[in-house]
Amino acid sequence: MKSISKTLASLLLVSTAGLGALAHAVQDLPGGPAVRQLNLAPPVTRIAEEQHYLHWMMLIICTVIFVGVFAVMFYSIWKHRKSRGARPANFHESVAVEVAWTIVPFIIVILMALPATKVLVAQKDTTNADLTIKATGYQWKWGYDYITGEGEGLAFISTLDSSHRQMSDSGKVADAPPDYLLKVDNPLVVPVGKKIRVITTANDVIHAFMVPAFGIKQDAIPGFVRDTWFRAEKVGDYYGQCAELCGKEHAYMPIHVKVVSAADYTQWVADEKKKAAAKLDDPTKVWTLEAMLPRGEKVYAANCAACHQANGKGAGPIKPLDGSAIVKDEDHSKQIQILLKGAAGGAMPSWAQLSDTDLAAVATYTKNAWSNKTGQLVQPAEVLAQRGK
């Protein structure tokens, strides 16, 4: 009996220690979610501050009404209960009461609607923006294009950091960092104190661009253009997520906005333009297999490994690339068309937003990785020729 008790005690101690380790691993993320967060995210824009004010004002008004109405109701039930000999009164309608319970709620609604309308109108005023950025939702990543303002012409894809996806797949998240499933390879960078207009759209299904600290949430709908705006008043990193259920990878579509000083933003733009110029590939350039494979491996790790796995074996309904007849086929157009247009009713998304060279590189990599070893080389010109078909 004693041995059983000791065993149970040991198990309880181990489980408690395990839970303690898990609880210890969870930390607040500045600019993102907090442990045991009950209130809205700390605001860093004027709109978000106004939303906080409206939230508490409405809550207080509704609480006062709730307490008042139910206090009168319960008092009446208690005071006029049958056990005390109460008798029902015989009376007709009261004009004063009728007028009061019509006018008073009307006034309350107006008092609530006026500040709410003011904030709503301000939220939709995207005029006179210092910077305009198009945010395009893809399954399951974000594309950012700097349309006007400083940084015009820059464009990149923002994807969940591959190490975080690996942690999620393995289930080993006890030591996960505070930004678990919110870290991306390319954050959206904007200057502090500037009005940023965000144009939202989508390439495949409905997504939603949401950053709680900014007080913004705007649907991104295929074939439609919507917009919102924010002006961050504090330098820092702020996080959000796609807020529309967009498919099986919905949980892996974070948003990271990095707000920097004006000087740092100018330097970032200059650096990014240099990088973009260096990456500007000539689609007519003829590559060697040795030069193409390392690039293809990087493209695969950043965009494909999350579904098809690093070993190319796939998982569940996701088809393996290792040994795939289409991948090994000498007719390169079959694989290129899948990369450009997707397949399986959207389960395999389109990757047309990648450059011709990146698509050629990842096709070349899959044709030569694992057990495939075909020795085939896909050139960027082949991808360019397939785009219009």
Side-chain angles (χ1 to χ4, degrees):
M1 192 68 179
K2 288 183 179 180
S3 62
I4 295 175
S5 300
K6 288 181 179 179
T7 303
L8 290 174
S10 299
L11 289 172
L12 180 62
L13 182 61
V14 170
S15 63
T16 304
L19 289 173
L22 287 173
H24 180 71
V26 180
Q27 305 171 44
D28 289 349
L29 177 63
V35 178
R36 301 185 183 90
Q37 179 177 331
L38 297 177
N39 200 0
L40 302 177
V44 292
T45 67
R46 181 62 183 275
I47 290 294
E49 290 177 357
E50 294 289 341
Q51 290 172 352
H52 275 238
Y53 167 77
L54 285 174
H55 166 72
W56 284 107
M57 183 193 75
M58 301 289 184
L59 182 61
I60 291 171
I61 290 175
C62 291
T63 302
V64 170
I65 293 173
F66 173 85
V67 171
V69 169
F70 278 87
V72 171
M73 186 179 75
F74 287 125
Y75 171 79
S76 299
I77 293 172
W78 175 260
K79 182 69 174 178
H80 304 99
R81 63 189 187 276
K82 184 178 180 181
S83 62
R84 296 192 60 181
R87 295 290 184 268
N90 184 15
F91 58 86
H92 295 283
E93 68 277 358
S94 169
V95 175
V97 172
E98 296 276 359
V99 171
W101 72 32
T102 300
I103 293 179
V104 172
F106 177 77
I107 293 174
I108 293 174
V109 169
I110 294 299
L111 292 176
M112 295 169 70
L114 286 176
T117 302
K118 179 184 176 182
V119 174
L120 185 61
V121 171
Q123 284 181 224
K124 295 300 181 181
D125 181 14
T126 59
T127 59
N128 302 317
D130 298 299
L131 193 64
T132 299
I133 300 171
K134 183 177 75 171
T136 304
Y138 299 94
Q139 290 178 313
W140 287 270
K141 53 196 170 291
W142 290 98
Y144 299 119
D145 295 89
Y146 288 66
I147 306 298
T148 63
E150 188 178 7
E152 180 178 342
L154 292 177
F156 53 86
I157 298 293
S158 181
T159 308
L160 175 69
D161 186 87
S162 57
S163 65
H164 286 225
R165 181 55 194 265
Q166 290 171 5
M167 277 190 285
S168 176
D169 289 343
S170 67
K172 299 176 181 178
V173 298
D175 297 322
D179 62 350
Y180 175 59
L181 295 185
L182 291 173
K183 183 180 180 182
V184 299
D185 53 1
N186 295 305
L188 177 63
V189 180
V190 298
V192 69
K194 299 293 185 180
K195 185 173 184 178
I196 313 299
R197 181 189 179 204
V198 180
I199 299 174
T200 63
T201 188
N203 185 63
D204 31 53
V205 298
I206 298 177
H207 302 277
F209 189 85
M210 179 186 72
V211 183
F214 298 162
I216 60 172
K217 177 183 178 293
Q218 184 63 67
D219 284 353
I221 306 172
F224 289 85
V225 173
R226 313 290 294 279
D227 65 351
T228 185
W229 71 277
F230 66 89
R231 180 185 281 108
E233 299 176 351
K234 184 179 179 182
V235 170
D237 295 280
Y238 304 100
Y239 300 88
Q241 290 174 304
C242 174
E244 194 74 40
L245 188 58
C246 57
K248 69 181 184 65
E249 303 290 312
H250 168 67
Y252 306 105
M253 196 172 169
I255 299 165
H256 176 187
V257 182
K258 192 175 189 66
V259 180
V260 299
S261 66
D264 287 344
Y265 179 73
T266 299
Q267 183 61 52
W268 177 82
V269 169
D271 293 342
E272 289 301 307
K273 287 191 173 181
K274 289 179 183 177
K275 293 178 184 178
K279 291 180 179 178
L280 191 60
D281 298 308
D282 179 3
T284 63
K285 177 182 175 180
V286 178
W287 290 69
T288 63
L289 184 62
E290 292 73 18
M292 189 65 90
L293 287 176
R295 180 162 179 168
E297 185 176 9
K298 291 180 180 179
V299 176
Y300 183 87
N303 301 286
C304 312
C307 292
H308 292 287
Q309 300 192 62
N311 59 13
K313 297 297 184 181
I318 299 172
K319 295 182 179 180
L321 300 180
D322 186 15
S324 167
I326 293 178
V327 173
K328 297 173 71 174
D329 200 310
E330 292 185 1
D331 183 359
H332 299 169
S333 64
K334 294 179 180 179
Q335 185 180 8
I336 292 173
Q337 281 297 312
I338 291 177
L339 290 170
L340 288 172
K341 297 180 181 178
M348 163 70 182
S350 165
W351 292 93
Q353 69 273 13
L354 296 181
S355 69
D356 296 329
T357 303
D358 280 345
L359 290 177
V362 76
T364 299
Y365 173 74
T366 57
K367 287 179 179 296
N368 293 277
W370 316 299
S371 67
N372 292 341
K373 308 299 181 184
T374 64
Q376 297 177 35
L377 171 62
V378 180
Q379 296 290 351
E382 297 179 66
V383 179
L384 179 61
Q386 291 293 322
R387 282 193 182 270
K389 295 184 179 180

